């Protein structure tokens, strides 16, 4: 894609199956990525281990949505290497103002300790990044996000790439062709990131997916 990058062009890129990344936080250029193998969550197969289910049921944290989008993006970029440069930060902030990008936050005593953000289009959610400042912070965020996406009628949760952390939670890889087929189907439908009356309890989220029978993955 050529020309100035705008929120509208960014959404068109997602609809075409590609997404932007910068080489570093200081990079002034953005390149487009269309992986041969794409990471996704099959929403009904998100794995909540027994230990994570206990952590969720125990509580001691609060879940908020879209209350600090900029804070979540900044926290995701707060690492030695990041693809989030100033332009990407600006663009996703504009998408958030348009209602096309959302954040889910995990808070302990009002402090932001975990979270995830991404873009919505049709019935597709494009996960961009997540962070954790306490044990299981990002896992809790993903558990509540997946439950919300299922409740809102989403059909596709794109994770871009498959990492060991995501694989431990049930993410898989599909081919580029299969991803584009799934994307077309999701874009033909509608979904709601904030379904009316949606207020899940801790026990409902913890028990929403059959717990993984395998050994617990490392916390993060």
């Amino acid at each position: 894609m050529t020309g100035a990058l705008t929120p509208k062009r960014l959404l068109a890129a997602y609809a075409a199956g590609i997404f932007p990344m910068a080489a570093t936080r200081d990079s002034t250029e953005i390149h487009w990525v269309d992986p041969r193998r794409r990471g996704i969550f099959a929403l009904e197969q998100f794995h909540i281990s027994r230990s994570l289910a206990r952590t969720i049921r125990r509580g001691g944290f609060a879940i908020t949505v879209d209350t600090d989008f900029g804070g979540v993006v900044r926290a995701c970029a707060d690492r030695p290497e990041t693809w989030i440069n100033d332009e990407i930060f600006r663009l996703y902030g504009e998408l958030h103002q348009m209602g096309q990008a959302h954040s889910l936050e995990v808070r302990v005593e009002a402090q932001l300790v975990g979270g995830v953000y991404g873009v919505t289009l049709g019935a597709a959610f494009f996960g961009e990044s997540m962070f954790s400042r306490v044990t299981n912070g990002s896992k809790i965020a993903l558990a509540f996000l997946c439950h919300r996406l299922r409740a809102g009628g989403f059909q596709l949760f794109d994770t871009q790439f498959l990492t060991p952390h995501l694989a431990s939670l049930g993410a898989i890889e599909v081919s580029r062709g299969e991803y584009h087929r799934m994307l077309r189907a999701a874009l033909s439908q509608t979904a709601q990131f904030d379904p009316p009356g949606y207020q899940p309890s801790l026990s409902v989220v913890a028990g929403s997916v059959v717990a993984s029978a395998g050994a617990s993955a490392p916390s993060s």
Side-chain angles (χ1 to χ4, degrees):
M1 299 180 72
T2 59
L5 187 52
T6 64
K8 183 177 179 179
R9 289 178 64 83
L10 189 52
L11 291 177
Y14 279 106
I18 60 178
F19 57 89
M21 296 184 73
T24 68
R25 65 165 45 86
D26 298 320
S27 176
T28 58
E29 296 183 356
I30 291 176
H31 59 275
W32 297 100
V33 184
D34 183 11
R36 292 181 57 202
R37 304 286 297 175
R38 196 75 166 235
I40 66 164
F41 270 120
L43 290 170
E44 70 281 1
Q45 295 177 5
F46 182 81
H47 293 172
I48 296 181
S49 67
R50 292 184 178 89
S51 62
L52 179 58
R54 287 194 297 270
T55 296
I56 292 174
R57 290 191 182 96
R58 188 162 56 243
F61 58 86
I63 300 296
T64 56
V65 171
D66 287 338
T67 63
D68 192 0
F69 182 85
V72 170
V73 179
R74 280 190 292 271
C76 289
D78 185 18
R79 58 191 69 180
E81 296 183 7
T82 180
W83 53 270
I84 301 172
N85 66 1
D86 289 343
E87 184 174 13
I88 284 179
F89 184 87
R90 174 186 63 79
L91 284 166
Y92 285 91
E94 292 180 11
L95 284 181
H96 175 62
Q97 293 174 3
M98 294 166 55
Q100 299 287 164
H102 300 277
S103 62
L104 184 145
E105 305 99 18
V106 182
R107 299 178 181 276
V108 173
E109 296 181 352
Q111 298 299 309
L112 196 59
V113 299
V116 58
Y117 79 96
V119 173
T120 56
L121 198 59
F125 181 86
F126 306 91
E128 286 301 312
S129 191
M130 59 186 177
F131 78 98
S132 184
R133 290 173 175 159
V134 297
T135 299
N136 287 323
S138 62
K139 290 183 178 181
I140 292 170
L142 285 173
F144 277 83
L145 175 61
C146 284
H147 191 276
R148 173 175 289 271
L149 295 180
R150 287 196 301 272
F154 283 85
Q155 298 181 9
L156 174 64
F157 184 172
D158 172 14
T159 70
Q160 300 179 345
F161 301 106
L162 182 66
T163 66
H165 176 55
L166 294 176
S168 74
L169 297 169
I172 61 172
E173 271 189 341
V174 296
S175 68
R176 179 186 292 157
E178 176 65 8
Y179 171 77
H180 281 263
R181 183 195 67 77
M182 298 171 71
L183 176 61
R184 287 193 298 271
L187 293 179
S188 70
Q189 305 295 320
T190 59
Q192 293 179 291
F193 189 77
D194 194 13
Y198 178 73
Q199 292 182 321
S201 66
L202 298 180
S203 60
V204 165
V205 173
S208 61
V209 180
V210 176
S212 172
S216 299
S219 299
S220 64

